[in-house]
Amino acid sequence: MTKHRVKVAIVGGGILGLVAAYRILKDREDNAEVTLFEKEKFLGGQASCVDIQGCKVEKLYHHFFSGDDDLLSLVRELGLEKRIIWGNTKIGVFSNGKIYPFSTPGEMLRLPLLNIISRARFAAFSLYLKVIRFKGTFDKVSAYEWINKYYGKQVYKYIWGPLLEGKFHKFYRNVSMVWFHARVHKRSNSRSGVEEQLWYLDGGMDLLIKELENGFREMGGKVLVSSEVERITYVKSLDCVEISYSGIVSSFDEVICAVSSSVFSSLVRNAVDKIYERRLKSIDYVSVLCLLFTSRKDLTEYYWINMCDKEMPFSVFIQHTNFIDKSKYKGLNVYYVGMYLDSKSGLYGKEDHIIFSKIMSSITKMFPDFCESDVVDYNVSKFIDAQHVVDKGYSDKLSVYNVPLPHVYLVNFAMGVGTNRDVNNAVKNGMFASKVIFGNQV
């Protein structure tokens, strides 16, 4: 008698979905058939790449920390360890028309934007957040309140405030201290000596995506790109889950949805109770807009510049080739300009050339010797619902992942109270998702 193979569908072909699909077949190849659905014509989601002057470059900026253990483990498993590039980078803060060094504790303590008392408070409470682990009480207080109370108003005004407001916009006053602590804790513990140590893959995320996809296909996995799932329905009489896409309906034993909570809500509409739908919709999101451009001009010595100047329309300026040598990109310098915003805002809905010109007008204020004609090529990327808002009491919302629909599971970035939109969390959640259908770990 032939053993029944579990038919599994993965909805969402980002890193999380790819890892889940790969891991299921890696661990259960003889016991599973896996189909991966992706609405775009490419895989990788927010880690996907674009062709710039014949080079594959990520649409969004990436780097990884020494504590990204789940990603490191996957890279080693895939035999890519020799492709890891380790390095230290220079960080700056842009405020009042000037870039200040902000890489080492010494530079932070000498930051002229702060008076001596504010510098001492910055050092003391940054050390506190580095040392202390998660505290449940952090979930009930906002980062806005905590920073102003302990770091002080000056540190909030010149350092954390612009970053918090730039990332979360209208939600910034209610963002949980859990999220802020997780960010500071992780970054401060990624230092080697006084400098922050980062790593990257020679070949970027394109290399990782291709390795996962090829491994998945070689084990018999099925990839359906340009296949947007429209509806997910549980059929009680057959004890199976039907997926509707592109005018086709297919049945599966188990379904893992690696999509945002808002997208999932639209997929299971009328299939779950109203209380669950409301809880899904209670999770707010901000979207990402990123300008990637290349130039022969070398603009700065810094890899990462935090924009702590409210006159600037973006929150971060990155010269990627101050970390990864420009020889990897045909001698061109690679830059990213990133911002978080409401997808309904004016700039998000504008055409690419208008966005490009708007951002360039601000960049030329930072670097007066630079102009639009110095740009060789550019790409504008938009990702809706890219970052969930971890507000106060967010842990009470996590039960939304216990989907009241048999054999259907939701796994995404928003699963963790202190988690952020990063590749390590995508890998971690993908590994978790791969075990759910066999280990019932939800």
Side-chain angles (χ1 to χ4, degrees):
M1 182 176 177
T2 304
K3 184 178 179 180
H4 172 69
R5 301 181 75 189
V6 180
K7 290 184 64 178
V8 181
I10 309 288
V11 180
I15 295 296
L16 197 164
L18 265 172
V19 169
Y22 172 85
R23 187 83 263 161
I24 289 170
L25 286 187
K26 186 73 173 178
D27 295 341
R28 304 272 184 165
E29 186 176 359
D30 296 332
N31 192 33
E33 296 178 8
V34 184
T35 301
L36 179 65
F37 293 89
E38 170 53 51
K39 69 175 183 178
E40 305 292 350
K41 60 183 178 181
F42 53 83
L43 298 176
Q46 294 182 44
S48 58
C49 301
V50 65
D51 189 282
I52 295 285
Q53 298 295 305
C55 300
K56 287 292 185 181
V57 188
E58 283 129 278
K59 297 173 184 175
L60 295 180
Y61 43 90
H62 290 95
H63 60 247
F64 313 115
F65 299 96
S66 55
D68 285 339
D69 296 330
D70 297 283
L71 177 58
L72 273 170
S73 178
L74 176 63
V75 166
R76 288 166 179 150
E77 179 184 328
L78 294 171
L80 301 177
E81 188 169 9
K82 291 183 178 179
R83 303 292 292 272
I84 293 176
I85 301 171
W86 288 94
N88 297 317
T89 57
K90 289 187 176 182
I91 299 172
V93 168
F94 182 83
S95 183
N96 298 329
K98 185 177 179 180
I99 303 172
Y100 299 93
F102 200 69
S103 300
T104 67
E107 290 173 344
M108 294 175 186
L109 288 176
R110 291 191 297 270
L111 189 67
L113 297 170
L114 307 178
N115 61 35
I116 190 167
I117 294 174
S118 294
R119 294 177 196 178
R121 293 176 74 167
F122 180 84
F125 288 104
S126 293
L127 178 61
Y128 172 76
L129 294 178
K130 174 181 179 179
V131 174
I132 195 170
R133 294 192 176 277
F134 172 78
K135 289 181 65 176
T137 54
F138 279 168
D139 191 33
K140 305 304 179 183
V141 63
S142 74
Y144 174 83
E145 296 168 317
W146 199 96
I147 294 168
N148 274 286
K149 180 178 181 179
Y150 293 102
Y151 276 108
K153 295 186 183 302
Q154 196 175 57
V155 172
Y156 180 86
K157 178 180 179 180
Y158 289 111
I159 305 300
W160 299 131
L163 300 179
L164 190 66
E165 294 171 32
K167 191 176 186 79
F168 292 107
H169 295 274
K170 65 181 181 180
F171 304 108
Y172 78 94
R173 283 180 178 266
N174 205 39
V175 172
S176 171
M177 184 57 196
V178 172
W179 179 87
F180 182 75
H181 164 260
R183 296 288 288 166
V184 175
H185 184 80
K186 181 174 183 177
R187 295 205 71 146
S188 58
N189 282 289
S190 68
R191 294 185 180 278
S192 176
V194 297
E195 294 186 307
E196 184 176 58
Q197 189 171 42
L198 305 175
W199 63 275
Y200 188 75
L201 282 173
D202 182 7
M205 291 305 298
D206 187 57
L207 175 65
L208 182 65
I209 292 166
K210 284 181 177 177
E211 286 293 320
L212 287 169
E213 180 186 2
N214 292 340
F216 175 64
R217 288 182 184 275
E218 287 170 5
M219 291 184 289
K222 186 177 181 181
V223 177
L224 297 179
V225 294
S226 301
S227 299
E228 183 173 6
V229 172
E230 298 149 0
R231 184 69 65 91
I232 295 174
T233 309
Y234 172 65
V235 182
K236 186 175 181 180
S237 60
L238 301 175
D239 191 30
C240 71
V241 181
E242 289 186 344
I243 286 184
S244 302
Y245 67 100
S246 305
I248 302 170
V249 178
S250 295
S251 299
F252 296 90
D253 299 308
E254 310 284 346
V255 176
I256 294 173
C257 293
V259 297
S260 71
S261 303
S262 55
V263 170
F264 183 71
S265 176
S266 69
L267 297 180
V268 297
R269 60 192 182 281
N270 302 323
V272 294
D273 59 66
K274 297 299 181 183
I275 294 175
Y276 181 73
E277 279 193 8
R278 283 198 296 271
R279 297 197 69 179
L280 279 174
K281 293 176 181 178
S282 72
I283 297 176
D284 293 306
Y285 286 85
V286 288
S287 301
V288 165
L289 187 155
C290 185
L291 170 67
L292 157 67
F293 70 92
T294 60
S295 176
R296 301 197 183 281
K297 276 200 171 182
D298 186 351
L299 294 182
T300 178
E301 63 182 311
Y302 296 97
Y303 162 62
W304 183 288
I305 301 175
N306 287 318
M307 306 306 296
C308 295
D309 189 322
K310 292 185 178 181
E311 296 301 313
M312 290 295 174
F314 48 90
S315 55
V316 65
F317 181 90
I318 296 167
Q319 186 164 336
H320 176 71
T321 38
N322 279 341
F323 180 26
I324 304 302
D325 193 88
K326 64 183 180 181
S327 62
K328 304 288 185 182
Y329 305 98
K330 297 185 177 179
L332 294 171
N333 288 295
V334 177
Y335 298 92
Y336 290 97
V337 180
M339 65 185 78
Y340 292 85
L341 68 174
D342 186 332
S343 61
K344 297 180 178 62
S345 77
L347 190 59
Y348 192 92
K350 299 295 184 183
E351 295 179 349
D352 289 358
H353 72 277
I354 296 175
I355 294 171
F356 172 71
S357 293
K358 171 72 173 176
I359 293 176
M360 278 295 141
S361 66
S362 295
I363 293 176
T364 54
K365 293 177 183 177
M366 291 178 65
F367 308 105
D369 294 333
F370 185 74
C371 59
E372 281 192 31
S373 61
D374 292 318
V375 174
V376 175
D377 204 350
Y378 76 89
N379 179 77
V380 174
S381 295
K382 302 173 185 178
F383 291 91
I384 197 166
D385 291 354
Q387 170 69 52
H388 61 294
V389 178
V390 183
D391 49 12
K392 289 191 296 184
Y394 188 81
S395 59
D396 296 335
K397 297 181 180 181
L398 295 186
S399 60
V400 298
Y401 298 98
N402 297 314
V403 180
L405 203 61
H407 309 296
V408 178
Y409 307 92
L410 172 62
V411 186
N412 62 27
F413 283 121
M415 285 189 65
V417 175
T419 59
N420 199 52
R421 175 190 58 84
D422 63 46
V423 176
N424 189 70
N425 279 317
V427 172
K428 183 177 183 177
N429 289 331
M431 295 292 187
F432 171 82
S434 72
K435 298 173 184 176
V436 163
I437 58 175
F438 295 104
N440 194 29
Q441 295 193 15
V442 170

